[in-house]
Amino acid sequence: MTPDRRIAGWSGVLAGAGLAVEAALWTASGWSPATFADPAAALEFLRAEGGVLRLAMLSGFVNLVFLVVFVAGLAARLKDGTPTLASATLWFGMIGIITHVLVPLNHWYGVPAFLAAATREPEAAQTAWTAYAVVGHDAPSGAGSLFLGLSMVTAGWAAIAGRALPASLGWLGLVTGSATVLTVFAPDTVLSGVAGAVAMPSLLLAVVFRVWGGIALIRTPAL
């Protein structure tokens, strides 16, 4: 089944806006990777900013819902000229969404659970935090970023090769997707500094890619 291209396009615009709102809420909360790496600091952060974090999680879930429709519409637009790349765009995207959605769901339930545990048994809550942060945040976030990055790479490649969408959008997808994949594998390697430097630009470019891709779907004639 193929989604209506205009609905898919508007979904891309909303997915981009939702990602921007989610990032803004994470920033407003004062979160940093170092905070989650320190159990005592993480639990104190949840006490102070847990409400803002849950709002970020809610916006993250909503933008992923819109992203499902956008990725499906994007793949449908690309399938005639580049069917293999279109299929990769679709399935990489869906795997990325499925794994990434675990992050907002884990935190939506996890924030109040850890706050309650910290009140009852603070030492036990701190002991459990490290495993939770890896399983509930780092791993699904990394897997989601990896496959969503690969989806942007294949969509960009298809746009350049098949010309169903603007080639400039295709180059943006290639650059953004590659940078996103780099942020997954570069930490704790000799490229750690590079990963840190491209993390925020790659996020901003992902917002631009979704919005621009959505507009391109809206404006392109029906096949």
Side-chain angles (χ1 to χ4, degrees):
M1 299 177 68
T2 301
D4 180 277
R5 63 185 177 80
R6 293 182 62 84
I7 294 175
W10 281 113
S11 294
V13 173
L14 292 172
L19 181 59
V21 170
E22 180 186 2
L25 287 170
W26 275 94
T27 302
S29 72
W31 177 87
S32 70
T35 300
F36 268 21
D38 182 338
L43 292 175
E44 184 57 36
F45 168 76
L46 294 186
R47 292 188 191 97
E49 302 294 346
V52 178
L53 184 62
R54 293 192 87 205
L55 285 177
M57 295 303 99
L58 181 59
S59 66
F61 176 78
V62 171
N63 93 62
L64 289 173
V65 170
F66 285 120
L67 189 59
V68 169
V69 182
F70 171 60
V71 170
L74 192 61
R77 183 68 194 177
L78 299 169
K79 70 178 180 181
D80 287 346
T82 51
T84 301
L85 291 172
S87 294
T89 297
L90 176 65
W91 290 108
F92 285 154
M94 294 306 164
I95 293 171
I97 292 165
I98 290 168
T99 50
H100 222 309
V101 78
L102 295 175
V103 177
L105 288 178
N106 280 329
H107 289 320
W108 183 260
Y109 293 110
V111 168
F114 266 94
L115 287 176
T119 300
R120 296 191 308 269
E121 300 179 78
E123 292 185 4
Q126 288 189 31
T127 300
W129 175 261
T130 299
Y132 169 80
V134 172
V135 175
H137 182 87
D138 296 345
S141 178
S145 295
L146 170 62
F147 282 98
L148 288 176
L150 291 173
S151 181
M152 284 187 283
V153 168
T154 54
W157 186 359
I160 295 167
R163 300 187 181 280
L165 292 171
S168 51
L169 175 64
W171 284 110
L172 176 63
L174 282 175
V175 171
T176 306
S178 298
T180 302
V181 171
L182 177 64
T183 64
V184 176
F185 290 112
D188 301 317
T189 71
V190 294
L191 296 175
S192 291
V194 178
V198 302
M200 185 55 68
S202 67
L203 177 63
L204 295 175
L205 288 175
V207 171
V208 175
F209 178 79
R210 294 180 187 186
V211 172
W212 186 2
I215 293 171
L217 286 180
I218 294 167
R219 290 182 173 178
T220 52
L223 296 174

